[in-house]
Amino acid sequence: MTSSGWIFLIVSWSFILFLMIASFTVVLRKK
Amino acid sequence: MNQPPSQPKSREQWGTRLGLILAMAANAVGLGNFLRFPVQCAGNGGGAFMIPYFIAFILLGIPLMWIEWGIGRFGGKYGHGTTPGMFHYLWKHPLAKYVGAIGLTIPFALVIYYNYIVSWTLAYSVFSLTGKYAGILDFRGMADFLAAYQGKISNNYFPNIMTAFLFFCITHFCMMWIISRGVSKGIERLAKTAMPLIFVFGAILVIRVLFLGTPDPALPENNIANGFGFIWNPDFSMLKESKVWLAATGQIFFTLSVGFGAIQTYASYLKPKDDVVLSGVATSTTNEFCEVILGGSIAIPVTVAFFGLAQTKTIAAGGAFDLGFFAMPIIFQKMFLGQVFGTIWFFLLFLAGVTSSVAMAQPIMAFLQEEFKTSRRVAAWIVGTMTFFFTLPVIFFLKHGFLNEIDFWIGTFGLVVFAILEVVLFIWVFGAANAWKEINSGADIRLPRFVLPLMKYVTLAYLVALMVFWFIQDGWGVLTMKGVSAADYPYIWFARFMLIGIAAFMVFLVYIAWRKPHVIQRRVPE
C-alpha cells in the first residue's frame, strides 16, 4: 500500500470513528 | 402548522434510545455494506473514491436522514406510521395520501426479493459449517453450485430448487415472527442482539484478515497489504470521470437505506420531543463504521491475498455476488479453520440482511395496524402470507431475469424517485421554515443555519442528478429490454405487471382506509 493509500485509510477511518464516538457519547449521556 | 391531535395511546414506542439507534442502524446495515461497498470502492479509484463518497455522505446522506426522521416523527404525532398519512398532513391535498402509497409499495416490493437473497446467506452459512461445498476450488464450480442452488441448473449438489425454497421459508418465518412481536419486543430486541453480533463477527473476520500476511510464500505480491492497497491507493485520474461520482453517490444512497419508507415508520415511534438530529448522525456513522471500516477490510483484501490483483479486478468487475458467493467460499476453504470463518461470514451477512428485511416489512405492518385497526398478530400473518406468495415468482423465475427487473424499478430507480418526492413535499410544500422547526424540535445539537439551503437545493439537486443519470445509464436499456432474450419477455412483463398491481393495490388500500371513521376523525381539510 502506498503512503497516500495509508493517508486515505487513516483519514477516512478517523472521520467515521470521530463522528461515531462523539455522537454516541452525547446520546448515551442524554438518554 | 396544525396542532396535532393527541397520539393514539395504542401506538407502539421504542423501549430505549440506544435500541432505536441500533434498530435504525440495523435497518441501514445490509448486504451492501460488506459486498457492494468494497467492489464499488476498488473499481472506482480506490482511496480517491472516498472523496465523492464523503461529499455525498455530507451533502446527500445525512440531510436525507434528517428529512426522513423528521417526516417520520411528524407523522407519528398524528398517529400515522406510514407515508400516506404523513404526506396527508404535509400537503393538504387529496392526492397526497396516494403519493404516500409509494412509501408502502417500495418496501413491500423490496421484501419480496430481498428476503430471498438473504435466505441464500443463511443457506451458505449452513453449507460452510457442514462442508457442503467442500472441494469446489474454482470459480466455474462455485458458479455452478450457486446456479444449481437457485434452480437455474441441476447437478449432484442440488437436483432441484427445494433446498433454496426451504431456506427461504425459514428466513421468511424468522421475519414474520420478529414483526409479529412488535416494535419494542421484536425489532428492538433483534437489533440489540444482531448489531453487537455484527460488530463482533466483523471484528473477528477483520483480525483474521489482518494476520493472514502472505498466504502463499511462492507468490509474495499476493498479500494483505496489497489487498488494502487495492481498496485505498488513490487513483486521482478517476475523479475526472462522472461514473465515479455517480457510483459514490449511489453507494451512499443505498447504504443509508433512504428512500425506502422504512426510516419514516421507525421514526414515527419516537415521542414528539425526542431528538432526531443527533440520533440521525449516530445511525449514519454506525452504518459507515460497518461499511468502510469492517466491510472495506474483509472481502477485497482477502481476495487479493489469495487470488492476486489481476484476478481480484476480474472478480470485482463481476459484481458483489461474484465476490461474496464465488470468491469467498473458495478462500475460506484455503484458510485454517475456514469452515468456522466461512460460517461466521455468511451468518454476519444473514444478520445484516434480516434486520433490513424486517425494517422493510414494518411499513405495511404499521399501515394495517393503524389504518385498518388490525391486531399485530393478524397484520403479521397478512404481511407474511402476501409477501410469501409474491416471492414465489421471484424464486421460480429467477433465471428469466424476474428479480433483476424488480430490483431496478424498485430497488434503484423507485428509491430515488420517492426520495425526491419526500424532499419536495417536506421542504418545498410543507415549507422550509416548518421543516426546519420540525427537525430541530427537541434536538440535542443545534443544526447550523446553512443546512436548510443545503437540504432545499443541494440535496434535491443531487437526487435529481442521480435519477437522470440512472435513467440514461441503465433505465432506458432496462425499459426497452436491451439484451433480454425473446424467451424471457413474458417473465419481464409479468414482473412489471406485478409491480403495477402491487402499487394499484396499495392505492386501493389507502382509498379504503381514508373512509374508515377513525381516519376521518383525524383528517385535515384537503
Side-chain angles (χ1 to χ4, degrees), chain B residues 119-141:
Chain B
S119 74
W120 303 350
T121 61
L122 179 65
Y124 269 65
S125 178
V126 174
F127 296 158
S128 181
L129 192 67
T130 57
K132 175 91 174 169
Y133 55 67
I136 307 175
L137 293 167
D138 63 290
F139 284 96
R140 187 69 256 158

Side-chain angles (χ1 to χ4, degrees), chain B residues 18-320:
Chain B
L18 184 64
L20 155 73
I21 291 170
L22 289 179
M24 282 282 196
N27 164 37
V29 175
L31 304 183
N33 293 59
F34 297 92
L35 295 176
R36 197 175 186 278
F37 168 75
V39 166
Q40 292 290 322
C41 186
N44 290 290
F49 176 81
M50 299 313 289
I51 295 172
Y53 180 84
F54 279 125
I55 290 174
F57 179 64
I58 292 164
L59 300 182
L60 171 74
I62 292 193
L64 208 46
M65 268 276 176
W66 286 328
I67 288 170
E68 295 206 345
W69 278 68
I71 293 174
R73 190 187 55 178
F74 173 76
K77 282 195 272 193
Y78 292 90
H80 291 286
T82 47
T83 49
M86 292 167 186
F87 287 4
H88 167 73
Y89 285 96
L90 290 177
W91 178 33
K92 294 166 186 67
H93 189 277
L95 277 178
K97 54 188 176 291
Y98 299 116
V99 175
I102 303 173
L104 295 173
T105 306
I106 287 178
F108 184 87
L110 280 169
V111 171
I112 65 177
Y113 70 90
Y114 191 78
N115 228 7
Y116 182 47
I117 297 171
V118 172
S119 74
W120 303 350
T121 61
L122 179 65
Y124 269 65
S125 178
V126 174
F127 296 158
S128 181
L129 192 67
T130 57
K132 175 91 174 169
Y133 55 67
I136 307 175
L137 293 167
D138 63 290
F139 284 96
R140 187 69 256 158
M142 280 314 303
D144 285 347
F145 183 85
L146 181 64
Y149 172 77
Q150 293 170 337
K152 290 178 179 172
I153 58 169
S154 173
N155 63 18
N156 292 336
Y157 293 102
F158 304 104
N160 54 47
I161 202 171
M162 290 321 290
T163 311
F165 188 64
L166 175 71
F167 276 103
F168 164 68
C169 291
I170 295 168
T171 307
H172 195 74
F173 178 78
C174 285
M175 184 198 76
M176 267 182 69
W177 182 72
I178 293 158
I179 57 173
S180 72
R181 291 184 55 82
V183 173
S184 181
K185 288 183 180 162
I187 296 169
E188 189 172 338
R189 275 192 194 169
L190 170 74
K192 281 180 167 174
T193 311
M195 282 307 288
L197 277 177
I198 289 171
F199 292 145
V200 171
F201 288 167
I204 290 171
L205 290 166
V206 170
I207 291 166
R208 182 70 195 101
V209 168
L210 289 175
F211 285 95
L212 270 173
T214 309
D216 185 354
L219 298 165
E221 71 282 5
N222 294 359
N223 59 55
I224 288 299
N226 281 346
F228 274 90
F230 185 54
I231 279 205
W232 290 103
N233 289 344
D235 176 2
F236 292 108
S237 67
M238 295 288 276
L239 290 178
K240 290 179 203 152
E241 294 187 29
S242 59
K243 80 171 184 84
V244 173
W245 290 80
L246 183 66
T249 310
Q251 181 58 28
I252 281 295
F253 191 78
F254 285 130
T255 190
L256 293 175
S257 295
V258 282
F260 281 50
I263 291 174
Q264 293 91 327
T265 300
Y266 275 14
S268 77
Y269 300 117
L270 285 165
K271 296 184 191 84
K273 288 290 173 190
D274 278 348
D275 159 85
V276 300
V277 175
L278 192 65
S279 303
V281 175
T283 300
S284 307
T285 50
T286 305
N287 176 72
E288 290 310 300
F289 174 82
C290 290
E291 175 151 301
V292 178
I293 298 180
L294 297 180
S297 306
I298 302 172
I300 288 282
V302 83
T303 308
V304 172
F306 278 94
F307 289 111
L309 278 172
Q311 210 169 342
T312 304
K313 279 179 187 165
T314 313
I315 295 164

Side-chain angles (χ1 to χ4, degrees), chain A residues 1-2 4-5 8-9 12-13 15-17 19-20 23-24 26-28 30, chain B residues 17 21 47 54 225 228-229 232-234 236 278 282 285-286 289 292 297 444:
Chain A
M1 183 143 91
T2 62
S4 50
F8 269 91
L9 183 146
S12 301
W13 285 30
F15 175 67
I16 291 164
L17 286 172
L19 279 180
M20 192 179 167
S23 56
F24 269 97
V26 182
V27 162
L28 294 175
K30 292 202 173 185
Chain B
R17 190 173 176 193
I21 291 170
F54 279 125
F228 274 90
W232 290 103
N233 289 344
F236 292 108
L278 192 65
T285 50
T286 305
F289 174 82
V292 178
S297 306
D444 282 342

